Amino acid sequence: MSRIAYVNGQYVSHRDATVHVEDRGYQFADGVYEVFAVMGGKLIGEQGHLERLAHSLSELRIEWPMSRPALMVAVKEIVRRNHVRDGLVYLQVTRGVSPRDHPFPQHSDSALVITARKSGPLDKDTLRNGVDIITIPDIRWQRCDIKSVALLANVLGKQEAREANAFEAWQVDEDGYITEGTSTNAWIVTASGELVTRNVSTSILNGVTRLAVLEAAVEVGVDIIERPFTTLEALAAREAFITSSTSHVKAVTRINGQSIGNGYVGDLTNRGLDAYVEYVETNGGPQTTDKWN
Ligand code: PLP
């Protein structure tokens, strides 16, 4: 079955889905995006993604391409037309098409592209297997709270991870604190047993999955401390994991080649994964969606 994409008002075959060469997303990375997980036919974190998109658009002064309800109709239609039961929806909004010039164009309509991709159903065993990560300097700009399509530093970081046979790279700020992964948020259980993830600021993207895990933890009575943590703390951690709409809650068992804890998925990571899945199945996603920087 051929895939269908939504491009500026039309549903087209994925093969024929194209944008203009002077789209500002293409020339200046002047655009933002969202990635929604689809689990068991349901969109996860709909409200959170919309609120974060609103934040990204307003910080960059890009107009909404259409109303929020109309946007969600298009997102759901793409899920339906592509028969996605489990997978991802990618949505991108750019400042639109205009002759190349740095300042905002006086007249341009925001451009909207939506695509969807199938994956297998969430597989807890695979998520518990654990992955390797490396640490790298964080060379990104100072507005990581905006989900911008300008992802070159993230691309370079992920490639560095792949070349080191690792799944993800945790980026480290100038003070030695981990900000986040290149496409995931970072979590550890410290040597003294605290479950820690970095607090929200302009240094990280506040993940919709991160928010759901925070809320799920409250429900199961697990305390989480939101604060920066260093690479040294991470290396000495009992457990570590990453979260994102694509990776859900995925165990980290080695950092820079060093085993974390006993080298196997830890108890709080296990419980975090279970609590997250149950929480999103019950609630559809995080309920608190207004903390974007
Ligand atoms: N941090 C970065 C840099 C990301 O790119 C992503 C997701 O793409 C995340 C965190 C996790 O966000 P979410 O849980 O909303 O997928």
Side-chain angles (χ1 to χ4, degrees):
M1 188 209 63
S2 66
R3 287 172 68 195
I4 305 292
Y6 176 95
V7 183
N8 294 322
Q10 294 195 314
Y11 295 94
V12 294
S13 129
H14 197 267
R15 204 180 319 123
D16 302 325
T18 52
V19 293
H20 196 278
V21 288
E22 285 199 303
D23 186 291
R24 289 177 64 95
Y26 178 58
Q27 292 187 327
F28 294 113
D30 190 358
V32 301
Y33 74 107
E34 282 297 328
V35 177
F36 300 69
V38 183
M39 281 162 63
K42 279 198 290 187
L43 270 177
I44 303 301
E46 195 176 311
Q47 205 50 38
H49 288 290
L50 274 179
E51 294 290 330
R52 190 171 63 189
L53 179 63
H55 172 72
S56 299
L57 289 172
S58 100
E59 290 301 296
L60 299 180
R61 293 194 279 152
I62 296 176
E63 295 293 328
W64 281 84
M66 55 176 67
S67 71
R68 292 185 198 204
L71 191 71
M72 287 320 298
V73 168
V75 166
K76 286 175 184 165
E77 187 59 16
I78 276 294
V79 171
R80 193 187 71 75
R81 289 195 188 211
N82 287 284
H83 307 284
V84 178
R85 226 187 119 62
D86 294 283
L88 296 169
V89 175
Y90 178 84
L91 177 159
Q92 174 170 319
V93 181
T94 72
R95 207 181 302 275
V97 175
S98 179
R100 188 178 183 282
D101 195 11
H102 287 65
F104 297 173
Q106 294 217 309
H107 307 287
S108 75
D109 293 327
S110 300
L112 171 63
V113 169
I114 311 172
T115 57
R117 195 160 74 189
K118 287 182 185 178
S119 68
L122 181 148
D123 174 5
K124 285 188 177 174
D125 288 340
T126 305
L127 295 172
R128 287 181 168 136
N129 271 343
V131 291
D132 279 43
I133 57 157
I134 57 168
T135 57
I136 58 169
D138 194 338
I139 60 166
R140 298 174 303 162
W141 73 331
Q142 290 169 14
R143 290 305 309 272
C144 297
D145 55 304
I146 298 170
K147 200 161 169 65
S148 153
V149 296
L151 289 172
L152 198 46
N154 309 55
V155 166
L156 293 175
K158 191 76 94 184
Q159 181 61 21
E160 199 173 329
R162 288 293 184 274
E163 288 173 9
N165 291 320
F167 181 79
E168 175 62 302
W170 280 2
Q171 300 164 107
V172 182
D173 69 19
E174 285 181 344
D175 300 319
Y177 291 96
I178 285 160
T179 52
E180 60 183 334
T182 62
S183 62
T184 56
N185 289 114
W187 303 67
I188 57 166
V189 178
T190 63
S192 61
E194 290 177 336
L195 178 52
V196 181
T197 192
R198 188 159 174 143
N199 52 298
V200 175
S201 70
T202 52
S203 301
I204 68 164
L205 183 80
N206 191 0
V208 172
T209 318
R210 176 187 179 280
L211 283 171
V213 171
L214 286 174
E215 291 176 15
V218 172
E219 290 238 318
V220 296
V222 171
D223 289 336
I224 297 182
I225 299 164
E226 293 178 73
R227 65 160 173 85
F229 56 91
T230 62
T231 308
L232 284 178
E233 273 186 287
L235 288 170
R238 286 186 196 170
E239 301 180 33
F241 61 92
I242 54 177
T243 57
S244 74
S245 299
T246 314
S247 288
H248 309 292
V249 175
K250 194 191 272 283
V252 169
T253 43
R254 282 205 300 184
I255 302 178
N256 292 343
Q258 190 176 308
S259 286
I260 297 306
N262 60 8
Y264 294 97
V265 58
D267 176 49
L268 277 178
T269 308
N270 260 327
R271 287 171 64 196
L273 172 59
D274 288 339
Y276 165 74
V277 172
E278 199 179 319
Y279 193 79
V280 295
E281 278 174 355
T282 310
N283 300 289
Q287 310 299 296
T288 314
T289 55
D290 59 349
K291 299 193 297 188
W292 301 115
N293 61 23

